[in-house]
């Protein structure tokens, strides 16, 4: 199925909606897709956060680029919207919706009635409420099983093809931001299979569900999602996007790199020079924006992401090193004083390191020593397993490209 280009209409459409002159566009049939974790739901990634663009004038904006055909697939970590979603009624103008509309009317340069009229068309999706829930307690983590979901033949083949098609943009991103092509490729590959899995949930529905009917049973993140909903409406208005047509993950992430609306607003860059940042249809813009996000979150040029390490044998020493989680806290000398055995490169590292534990199901865990660049990757998605999957996929792609493997 063809992935539709982004329909673009000024958010002046809100006024027409309020007047009853504009009906919701027909939704194109598309299966759902989402990142392994709401990349931005937690930094969530992408995530959350990016440096606002210099060139977003509506008068200078060019027509959207034609989008290449991409097969649609089921969501990572979830299923396509089901019958319960199809039966879900429209949200309507609830008290919470009216309060949100009143709060954000001024920033959107709309009346509360116009905003409420748009939000009233959103649907509360049971599948979104289900997918946002955490993994059941007691579920064993298995690093190798997680890695193998991403470092596998089809994704590697797609990654090499994406690299070949976008080599210039990847090289330019590395020069501009210091982020190697392998890392950018790792993120786009893990997030969306190089554009093959970008999500089938209508963004307005996903964000409205998590803003106004966040499920019980986990910590309430509805304030975060209400702000993302606000950012989504700002983005739609600024870039002339149709808020009723955009699709993405169950958490509201969009595009090749699965940026949350707030991340799109802050970190998206116009890397192809056409006058606007399009993270859905422009691989170059997505590449530049991913690299910019990492640079803005502490990525250091030419710094490795991790080193080989053997954890201390002592339980207390190991627990002390693991306590800060992914945040680099210990110098190499401090780690070794606590019994860790670093590789030669790790011993010569001049900054601080974090001991990263990757559980292996019933087998013994494996460990790496993470640098500040490893930590930067966890700002995209707050998971050491995610960061290692990105690193592993990128490294394998680099090895294959250098070896001339297609």
């Amino acid at each position: 199925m063809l992935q539709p280009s982004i329909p673009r209409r000024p958010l002046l459409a809100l006024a027409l909606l309020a007047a009853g002159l504009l009906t919701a566009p027909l939704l194109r049939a598309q299966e759902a897709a989402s990142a392994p974790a709401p990349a931005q739901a937690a930094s969530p990634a992408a995530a959350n956060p990016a440096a606002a663009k210099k060139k977003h004038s509506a008068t200078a904006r060019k027509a959207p680029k034609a989008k290449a055909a991409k097969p649609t697939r089921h969501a990572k970590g979830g299923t396509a919207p089901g019958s319960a979603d199809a039966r879900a009624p429209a949200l309507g103008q609830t008290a919470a919706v009216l309060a949100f509309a009143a709060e954000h009317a001024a920033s959107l340069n709309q009346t509360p009635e116009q905003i409420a009229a748009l939000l009233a068309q959103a649907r509360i999706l049971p599948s979104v409420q289900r997918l946002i829930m955490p993994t059941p307690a007691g579920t064993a983590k298995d690093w190798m099983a997680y890695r193998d979901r991403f470092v596998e033949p089809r994704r590697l083949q797609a990654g090499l093809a994406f690299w070949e098609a976008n080599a210039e943009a990847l090289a330019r991103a590395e020069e501009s931001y210091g982020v190697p092509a392998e890392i950018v490729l790792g993120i786009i590959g893990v997030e969306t299979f190089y554009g093959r899995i970008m999500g089938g949930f209508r963004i307005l529905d996903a964000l409205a569900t998590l803003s106004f009917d966040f499920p019980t049973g986990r910590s309430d993140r509805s304030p975060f999602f209400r702000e993302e909903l606000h950012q989504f409406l700002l983005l739609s208005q600024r870039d002339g996007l149709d808020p009723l047509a955009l699709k993405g993950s169950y958490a509201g992430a969009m595009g090749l790199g699965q940026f949350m609306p707030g991340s799109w607003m802050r970190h998206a860059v116009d890397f192809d020079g056409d006058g606007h940042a399009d993270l859905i249809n422009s691989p170059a813009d997505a590449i530049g924006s991913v690299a910019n996000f990492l640079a803005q979150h502490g990525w250091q040029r030419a710094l490795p992401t991790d080193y080989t390490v053997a954890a201390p044998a002592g339980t207390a020493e190991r627990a002390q090193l693991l306590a800060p989680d992914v945040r680099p806290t210990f110098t190499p000398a401090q780690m070794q004083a606590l019994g860790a055995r670093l590789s030669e490169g790790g011993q010569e590292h001049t900054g601080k390191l974090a001991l990263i534990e990757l559980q292996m199901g019933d087998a013994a865990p494996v460990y790496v020593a993470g640098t500040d660049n490893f930590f930067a990757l966890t700002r995209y998605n707050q998971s050491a397993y995610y960061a290692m999957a990105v690193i592993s996929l990128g490294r394998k792609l680099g090895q294959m490209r250098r070896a001339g493997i297609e």
Side-chain angles (χ1 to χ4, degrees):
M1 182 182 300
L2 293 179
Q3 177 77 27
S5 297
I6 310 176
R8 297 177 179 274
R9 284 203 295 257
L11 203 61
L12 176 61
L14 286 174
L16 297 176
L17 283 167
L21 299 177
L22 181 66
T23 58
L26 292 176
L27 297 179
R28 295 171 174 86
Q30 182 184 27
E31 292 178 309
S34 59
Q40 282 93 336
S43 41
N48 254 321
K53 269 216 61 17
K54 42 183 187 328
K55 307 190 234 177
H56 277 299
S57 118
T59 55
R61 187 178 299 118
K62 297 183 181 179
K65 297 174 280 295
K67 185 162 185 179
K70 293 181 173 68
T72 316
R73 311 203 180 183
H74 283 279
K76 294 175 281 183
T79 57
S83 58
D85 286 348
R87 296 191 303 268
L91 174 60
Q93 298 195 14
T94 66
V97 166
L98 294 176
F100 178 95
E103 179 182 357
H104 296 294
S107 65
L108 291 165
N109 195 29
Q110 299 289 325
T111 68
E113 292 76 17
Q114 290 167 339
I115 298 169
L118 173 64
L119 296 179
Q121 299 180 68
R123 294 179 181 275
I124 301 299
L125 302 183
S127 61
V128 166
Q129 294 171 320
R130 182 177 69 255
L131 289 166
I132 203 68
M133 296 302 288
T135 303
T139 303
K141 295 180 180 180
D142 189 330
W143 157 237
M144 287 307 298
Y146 184 82
R147 174 191 180 277
D148 289 347
R149 291 171 55 193
F150 304 107
V151 187
E152 51 88 21
R154 292 182 307 156
R155 202 174 303 246
L156 290 167
Q157 184 180 31
L160 289 173
F162 188 88
W163 196 338
E164 183 67 22
N166 299 284
E168 184 276 334
L170 286 160
R172 187 156 45 88
E174 182 165 357
E175 180 180 356
S176 299
Y177 301 107
V179 181
E182 288 90 340
I183 293 296
V184 175
L185 288 162
I187 286 178
I188 295 176
V190 168
E191 291 287 350
T192 64
F193 205 135
Y194 304 102
R196 287 161 172 76
I197 307 176
M198 291 201 289
F201 292 91
R202 197 168 64 159
I203 297 298
L204 187 67
D205 295 337
L207 292 177
T209 297
L210 298 173
S211 294
F212 303 120
D213 199 0
F214 196 88
T216 57
R218 64 163 297 169
S219 58
D220 181 12
R221 302 204 65 221
S222 56
F224 167 81
F225 286 104
R226 284 195 294 273
E227 177 54 28
E228 288 299 323
L229 178 58
H230 176 221
Q231 293 295 318
F232 174 66
L233 297 179
L234 286 171
L235 172 65
S236 299
Q237 183 180 61
R238 185 191 72 180
D239 289 5
L241 307 177
D242 180 0
L244 292 168
L246 288 167
K247 291 185 178 181
S249 80
Y250 66 83
M254 298 174 285
L256 286 154
Q258 292 291 277
F259 272 36
M260 290 296 281
S263 288
W264 190 319
M265 290 289 287
R266 291 186 290 274
H267 302 296
V269 295
D270 171 21
F271 213 54
D272 62 9
D274 73 347
H276 68 278
D278 180 352
L279 306 188
I280 295 175
N281 296 311
S282 171
D285 288 356
I287 287 165
S289 299
V290 167
N292 181 52
F293 178 96
L294 291 175
Q296 294 294 324
H297 286 78
W299 185 273
Q300 299 179 33
R301 189 182 299 267
L303 180 72
T305 55
D306 60 285
Y307 301 103
T308 302
V309 64
T315 302
E317 292 81 1
R318 189 165 63 250
Q320 184 176 343
L321 287 174
L322 290 172
D325 195 26
V326 294
R327 184 178 295 277
T329 304
F330 304 97
T331 66
Q334 289 171 328
M335 290 188 76
Q336 294 187 114
L338 288 168
R341 299 190 302 280
L342 284 162
S343 65
E344 183 177 348
Q347 294 175 37
E348 296 173 353
H349 181 71
T350 57
K352 293 184 177 180
L353 298 168
L355 183 65
I356 308 296
E357 181 181 80
L358 301 169
Q359 298 176 21
M360 299 280 285
D362 295 333
V366 297
Y367 298 88
V368 297
T371 69
D372 285 318
N373 279 355
F374 189 100
F375 183 71
L377 285 173
T378 66
R379 301 309 87 196
Y380 205 102
N381 185 310
Q382 294 180 356
S383 163
Y385 294 80
Y386 173 88
M388 278 306 302
V390 166
I391 293 165
S392 299
L393 177 57
R395 280 178 179 164
K396 185 63 175 178
L397 287 169
Q399 293 166 3
M400 294 174 71
R401 185 173 170 90
R402 287 188 292 273
I405 299 173
E406 297 183 358

